[in-house]
Amino acid sequence: MAGAEEAVDFAMNRKVRIAVDQTVNLDISLLNQLQIINLPIHITNLPDEMEDALKNQDLVSFYRLLESYNKNPPPATKAGSPFEIKEILERAIISENCDIICFVVGRHLSAIYDNTLYAAQELMRIYTSRIAVIGEQAFLSLEILAERTAELVRMGKEFDEVLNFIEQHRHRIFVLGTVLDIRRLRRTGRVLIPNLFTNVLQACFKLFGVLPFFILESERPRLQSLVARRNITRFILRAIEARVGFKEPLIIKISYTGSDVPADALYIKSILTKQSNFKIAKPIEVNPASPVIGIHTGPALVAVGVMGLGYDAITTEILIKVFLEAQIELSTLRTVVNAINVFPVQDGDTGTNLLSPLIGVTSNIDPNLPLSEALNQIVMRIAHRGGGYSGGALAAFFLGFNSCVREQETSSELHLDTFVTALEKGVDQCYRYFGDDAKEGTILSVMRACSLAAKQAFEDHPTFRNVLIRAYFAATDELLNPRLQEVEILRKQKLVDAGGFGFTLFLWAVLRTLGLHREQQIYDRYQYVLHEVRSQAYHGQRLIYRRQPESLRGYCIEGCVNGQVVEELRAEFLKLDNRLPNPKMTFNVVDNTTHFHIHVSEGLEEQVLRIASRYGYVIPPRSPTRLAKRRGEIFQFRLINFFSNISRLTSTLATFFGNWFLYIIFFPIMWERYQQRLKKLLREFEYSRLISMAMDFLVQSESWQTSVIDADLTVVFLSGKHRGNRPLALEQVFPWDVAQELRSRLIQMSEQQRLLIRFEYNGYRFEAVLLASTERVGYLLRYYQERV
């Protein structure tokens, strides 16, 4: 056991090396300094002059020759073979006994990803070294990420720590670029663009003064927009702002292809450098791109690579932005939140109650203030304005959050450990605010789920990204599927709590501010929650605007008075002849001021105001608001609902008949297209029959048996007979024990991505080839049974 522990400890302390493919254009001295391994992508069909220019690192001459080169075949690129890559990586493993992280272009752009993955799997079967292959970015994205990762490695970070860094940042990087002259666009055979088409298109672009901009956020670039030259500044700034967090530290690089630095590249650098909205972590570099990129784009590319570094702390500027984003989010979805507000009473005002304390809450707050002071001012304003059940809950939460920050945070910023503790204190304060009236399945349990998940995430991996994402997922899980639902109407009607939904919108505002909303898993969850809530909104509105029961004939009264007089007010309010069943009564104490919120039956509203006035109002109270909807409001809702149903019916009928009309018009075209598809399918069928006959001849002419097995491990071709309609199980072809062994070997082969295996078992000799593509997986199996 001691030896095993020593081996594990040795592996954990092993050196880490970084490998990149040749789409990355890092300077040779920097590659040597950071000890980065280069994986080959070969440039083919080059004339001798261009070969010599590349050997001498003379990119100026290389691009000048490339610009005037018009012969066929054009220069192209070819990924290094698995054998080459394996040899390079194996040399590093043998000489340094290291773990390796490979950054390569995604499989949609080059075969180097598959070749590197195959080489890594083969090496890991031989050596104990761990090899990770990262293939979700390309070009500048890989360059920035690899350089930053290599710097961490130089600081002594271990393999798992480096992978955690990559996981945190691989979603926060993108490339935005344009090809200035599409006539020089090179595709090396991937996409053949006729010269006539490119000439006409380039002439149109030049005439109208537009440039085609593409975006690369994952494996494959896509056209983003056609941008007028006069709007380049606004487009680039908006594209970057939409993909990074507010005031997030950024690394920005600009790259180009060509013999000279394009004026557009220098102009883009100048506008980015001057922007006060961006916090640039290091000076912006303008460097030529790798010749591998130049072969594909021609000498006419300008690209900007951006990587967000995340946050170490929250500043006052970011805090103000969070509350502004929350105000926008709640303002946009206020009617949806109102529509599902059936608890604690069916008055449909939760969205308004959550939004009203946030309006203007950050006005006249100096961004240079220490965060604790700015937060205190904001929270005091929310507490003075917080109204209704959920508004009071939000005020109580922020009061607890604020008190913790003021006690624990000694710097002018908010750090993650204080943030996580403050969430817990906010939840505790909220539960104390409601006291015995606290109900599970409401905003309270959503807040608690958020806090617990944040605490667990902080213990596992303490970063703002990890904590906030885990907290948001936990909060939305609790919102949609409460562990305990104590509110009968929500449980019976299968509705989510309006206050809980409002709180998740506030969390979404935090994610948007920090730029985390653009990660696909987060965005998909937000859209899913929004879809579920909107699907409940119509049913919730019908509950709110139905005939109001006697128990809702009352008023909601709020105000704030001098002194800490909670017990005095509670005693006086309990003496009232309140006929509402289970009336709500809550209190918040802020800076020697008592805020009260109470529901009373009709006729008692003036008495409540007189009782409170004995202590002196801090600010004049708002007028009491009705709990029940008036008859006129109910009639108006039903009338509008009636006409909207008629409108939807009319729209559905118009769409139905319109689709049939268009179908009749375009039927001849559709018929012709399907006829062409049928002819193609019949032709493919004839080819399949021909191939089957050839396979049959080959099978019968040798002693080995041949079969084709699909991904489900069923035999679809056996000894010259096509079994596509009636596939066979392996147990129908081989003895049971042989079939089980074969099944295990094929599954292992697929998982390890091994292209070829040979083995013998119980008198059978097998040779299996993995047939894999992006669409399907299968196996070609040849076997021979030895005679006894």
Side-chain angles (χ1 to χ4, degrees), residues 478-620:
E478 176 64 25
L479 173 72
L480 299 178
N481 300 290
R483 297 181 184 178
L484 177 62
Q485 181 54 270
E486 295 183 334
V487 181
E488 183 180 359
I489 189 171
L490 296 179
R491 182 175 64 251
K492 184 177 179 181
Q493 302 296 338
K494 297 181 179 178
L495 296 174
V496 301
D497 178 59
F501 176 56
F503 184 75
T504 65
L505 293 180
F506 197 94
L507 291 177
W508 175 251
V510 179
L511 294 172
R512 279 188 63 87
T513 303
L514 302 189
L516 298 172
H517 68 291
R518 61 184 289 259
E519 295 190 23
Q520 196 62 46
Q521 58 169 341
I522 304 298
Y523 182 75
D524 289 345
R525 171 56 68 94
Y526 172 74
Q527 291 296 327
Y528 173 70
V529 172
L530 204 56
H531 175 268
E532 290 296 307
V533 173
R534 279 177 169 158
S535 67
Q536 299 175 14
Y538 179 72
H539 180 54
Q541 276 194 317
R542 290 180 63 87
L543 292 174
I544 293 169
Y545 286 94
R546 69 184 180 183
R547 187 173 180 273
Q548 304 292 292
E550 291 292 332
S551 59
L552 290 181
R553 304 285 174 82
Y555 288 87
C556 173
I557 307 170
E558 297 168 326
C560 56
V561 297
N562 289 309
Q564 299 186 24
V565 290
V566 173
E567 296 305 322
E568 292 86 342
L569 285 176
R570 189 191 304 274
E572 292 290 336
F573 290 160
L574 288 175
K575 294 177 183 178
L576 295 172
D577 184 22
N578 197 345
R579 298 180 299 278
L580 291 182
N582 301 317
K584 304 302 174 186
M585 188 192 317
T586 49
F587 301 90
N588 261 331
V589 179
V590 184
D591 285 350
N592 203 38
T593 300
T594 300
H595 296 254
F596 67 89
H597 165 231
I598 183 173
H599 292 176
V600 295
S601 55
E602 289 181 305
L604 297 180
E605 55 272 20
E606 292 299 328
Q607 295 184 45
V608 170
L609 294 175
R610 282 197 298 271
I611 292 171
S613 65
R614 299 172 191 168
Y615 303 93
Y617 284 109
V618 177
I619 56 176

Side-chain angles (χ1 to χ4, degrees), residues 69-137:
Y69 190 81
N70 293 315
K71 297 179 181 179
N72 283 318
T77 60
K78 181 181 179 182
S81 69
F83 177 78
E84 288 179 277
I85 296 170
K86 180 182 175 182
E87 192 175 48
I88 292 170
L89 299 179
E90 189 171 23
R91 194 180 306 130
I93 292 172
I94 293 174
S95 62
E96 302 184 44
N97 188 33
C98 58
D99 297 327
I100 303 176
I101 299 175
C102 304
F103 294 95
V104 294
V105 173
R107 59 162 48 101
H108 291 294
L109 295 175
S110 174
I112 194 167
Y113 175 83
D114 290 325
N115 294 351
T116 305
L117 188 62
Y118 178 81
Q121 290 168 342
E122 289 296 313
L123 288 171
M124 284 190 289
R125 278 193 284 272
I126 303 172
Y127 303 98
T128 58
S129 295
R130 293 172 290 178
I131 305 176
V133 181
I134 312 297
E136 295 182 0
Q137 301 290 344

Side-chain angles (χ1 to χ4, degrees), residues 288-446:
S290 162
V292 172
I293 299 297
I295 289 296
H296 289 274
T297 64
L301 170 74
V302 175
V304 181
V306 182
M307 176 179 174
L309 298 179
Y311 298 84
D312 295 324
I314 302 298
T315 63
T316 300
E317 282 185 298
I318 297 172
L319 178 74
I320 292 172
K321 181 68 172 177
V322 166
F323 280 95
L324 291 174
E325 286 289 341
Q327 181 181 330
I328 293 170
E329 194 69 20
L330 283 166
S331 178
T332 303
L333 295 170
R334 177 175 58 175
T335 55
V336 178
V337 181
N338 285 340
I340 58 172
N341 174 212
V342 297
F343 173 79
V345 290
Q346 301 165 29
D347 53 355
D349 64 354
T350 290
T352 305
N353 290 338
L354 288 173
L355 175 62
S356 59
L358 297 179
I359 295 177
V361 76
T362 58
S363 60
N364 302 322
I365 292 183
D366 187 356
N368 297 316
L369 279 175
L371 183 134
S372 58
E373 293 183 24
L375 177 64
N376 187 60
Q377 292 185 30
I378 291 172
V379 171
M380 290 305 105
R381 294 176 184 180
I382 291 175
H384 285 304
R385 302 174 187 175
Y389 186 89
S390 297
L394 193 67
F397 173 81
F398 280 119
L399 285 170
F401 188 96
N402 177 54
S403 64
C404 179
V405 172
R406 289 174 66 84
E407 289 172 7
Q408 295 191 12
E409 191 58 78
T410 56
S411 70
S412 60
E413 301 174 330
L414 174 61
H415 292 85
L416 184 57
D417 55 346
T418 306
F419 174 79
V420 172
T421 307
L423 285 177
E424 186 176 4
K425 297 300 182 183
V427 174
D428 292 343
Q429 176 72 21
C430 204
Y431 271 89
R432 285 197 300 271
Y433 170 69
F434 286 104
D436 295 336
D437 288 335
K439 298 285 187 183
E440 295 301 319
T442 64
I443 186 174
L444 298 175
S445 56
V446 174

Side-chain angles (χ1 to χ4, degrees), residues 17-71:
R17 291 287 300 273
I18 304 298
V20 298
D21 66 41
Q22 288 183 308
T23 60
V24 172
N25 190 37
L26 293 174
D27 184 75
I28 293 179
S29 60
L30 185 60
L31 288 173
N32 294 333
Q33 179 185 348
L34 298 176
Q35 295 186 311
I36 296 177
I37 303 167
N38 229 331
L39 303 178
I41 296 180
H42 305 291
I43 301 177
T44 60
N45 304 331
L46 284 183
D48 293 338
E49 305 87 26
M50 295 174 72
E51 287 272 15
D52 294 339
L54 279 183
K55 289 178 182 177
N56 297 324
Q57 297 294 313
D58 185 2
L59 294 182
V60 173
S61 299
F62 170 80
Y63 278 118
R64 284 177 180 168
L65 291 168
L66 180 64
E67 190 170 352
S68 59
Y69 190 81
N70 293 315
K71 297 179 181 179

Side-chain angles (χ1 to χ4, degrees), residues 189-200:
R190 282 192 176 91
V191 179
L192 298 175
I193 304 177
N195 288 333
L196 176 62
F197 178 77
T198 53
N199 288 335
V200 171

Side-chain angles (χ1 to χ4, degrees), residues 53 58 67 92 140 166 205 295 448 496 540 639 736 743:
D58 185 2
E67 190 170 352
L140 265 178
I166 295 170
F205 287 168
I295 289 296
R448 188 184 60 208
V496 301
L639 188 64
W736 188 87
R743 187 184 298 276

Side-chain angles (χ1 to χ4, degrees), residues 123-396:
L123 288 171
M124 284 190 289
R125 278 193 284 272
I126 303 172
Y127 303 98
T128 58
S129 295
R130 293 172 290 178
I131 305 176
V133 181
I134 312 297
E136 295 182 0
Q137 301 290 344
F139 178 31
L140 265 178
S141 299
L142 285 183
E143 184 174 316
I144 297 172
L145 189 59
E147 184 178 356
R148 183 70 179 176
T149 307
E151 291 171 356
L152 286 180
V153 169
R154 285 189 68 194
M155 295 165 57
K157 300 295 183 181
E158 296 182 356
F159 187 78
D160 292 334
E161 293 177 292
V162 177
L163 287 182
N164 281 332
F165 172 84
I166 295 170
E167 176 60 28
Q168 292 285 324
H169 292 84
R170 64 191 178 95
H171 302 289
R172 309 184 68 79
I173 188 167
F174 63 94
V175 177
L176 186 70
T178 182
V179 179
L180 301 175
D181 189 346
I182 63 169
R183 290 174 300 181
R184 295 171 180 153
L185 188 66
R186 308 285 179 172
R187 293 295 185 184
T188 62
R190 282 192 176 91
V191 179
L192 298 175
I193 304 177
N195 288 333
L196 176 62
F197 178 77
T198 53
N199 288 335
V200 171
L201 203 57
Q202 183 63 33
C204 291
F205 287 168
K206 189 173 182 180
L207 176 64
F208 294 104
V210 298
L211 293 173
F213 270 83
F214 66 87
I215 188 80
L216 175 61
E217 294 182 279
S218 54
E219 294 186 3
R220 183 181 295 176
R222 56 184 173 82
L223 183 66
Q224 177 74 359
S225 183
L226 294 176
V227 182
R229 279 190 173 272
R230 64 180 181 275
N231 295 329
I232 285 180
T233 301
R234 183 172 60 181
F235 172 77
I236 291 177
L237 295 180
R238 286 184 175 179
I240 295 176
E241 286 174 355
R243 290 169 172 80
V244 301
F246 179 73
K247 296 289 185 178
E248 179 181 11
L250 304 176
I251 291 179
I252 300 179
K253 280 191 173 187
I254 299 175
S255 189
Y256 64 91
T257 58
S259 54
D260 300 311
V261 182
D264 291 281
L266 298 176
Y267 173 67
I268 291 171
K269 177 184 177 180
S270 67
I271 64 173
L272 291 176
T273 304
K274 295 175 183 176
Q275 286 302 308
S276 59
N277 287 343
F278 297 150
K279 185 178 179 181
I280 301 174
K282 56 191 297 188
I284 299 176
E285 300 177 13
V286 180
N287 297 318
S290 162
V292 172
I293 299 297
I295 289 296
H296 289 274
T297 64
L301 170 74
V302 175
V304 181
V306 182
M307 176 179 174
L309 298 179
Y311 298 84
D312 295 324
I314 302 298
T315 63
T316 300
E317 282 185 298
I318 297 172
L319 178 74
I320 292 172
K321 181 68 172 177
V322 166
F323 280 95
L324 291 174
E325 286 289 341
Q327 181 181 330
I328 293 170
E329 194 69 20
L330 283 166
S331 178
T332 303
L333 295 170
R334 177 175 58 175
T335 55
V336 178
V337 181
N338 285 340
I340 58 172
N341 174 212
V342 297
F343 173 79
V345 290
Q346 301 165 29
D347 53 355
D349 64 354
T350 290
T352 305
N353 290 338
L354 288 173
L355 175 62
S356 59
L358 297 179
I359 295 177
V361 76
T362 58
S363 60
N364 302 322
I365 292 183
D366 187 356
N368 297 316
L369 279 175
L371 183 134
S372 58
E373 293 183 24
L375 177 64
N376 187 60
Q377 292 185 30
I378 291 172
V379 171
M380 290 305 105
R381 294 176 184 180
I382 291 175
H384 285 304
R385 302 174 187 175
Y389 186 89
S390 297
L394 193 67

